Amino acid sequence: FMATTYEDPKAEEKLARAEQLATDGKYAEAQDLFKSLADNKANNTLLSERARFMQAECRRLNRQYPEAVATYN
């Protein structure tokens, strides 16, 4: 078990990387990175909310519709 709450000085860089992966159509890889950013309670709220939304978008773009709906909510 790995803790999901830690100070991550590279969170903004990881978000940019995940967004680039999504732009490149690498939705599964981007989704995992977005999820880890959103799950980290130490990240600021705006970054976490953006990451969760983008995780849902990746699921939608991968046609994982039920999972996308659950993630949006």
Side-chain angles (χ1 to χ4, degrees):
F1 173 73
M2 192 171 146
T4 58
T5 302
Y6 63 96
E7 286 294 324
D8 187 353
K10 297 188 180 223
E12 294 284 345
E13 289 175 40
K14 289 178 183 176
L15 182 64
R17 168 93 175 113
E19 288 177 339
Q20 186 59 55
L21 288 168
T23 298
D24 293 345
K26 298 177 181 176
Y27 304 123
E29 195 177 341
Q31 177 185 317
D32 290 342
L33 193 47
F34 285 130
K35 181 180 185 327
S36 70
L37 288 164
D39 288 348
N40 185 348
K41 307 284 188 240
N43 285 332
N44 76 57
T45 304
L46 232 50
L47 185 141
S48 293
E49 288 179 1
R50 172 76 181 160
R52 187 69 72 204
F53 174 77
M54 291 304 298
Q55 177 193 3
E57 285 289 279
C58 287
R59 285 181 160 173
R60 180 183 63 80
L61 292 164
N62 261 342
R63 296 188 162 102
Q64 299 171 337
Y65 301 119
E67 296 88 347
V69 169
T71 305
Y72 285 121
N73 292 321

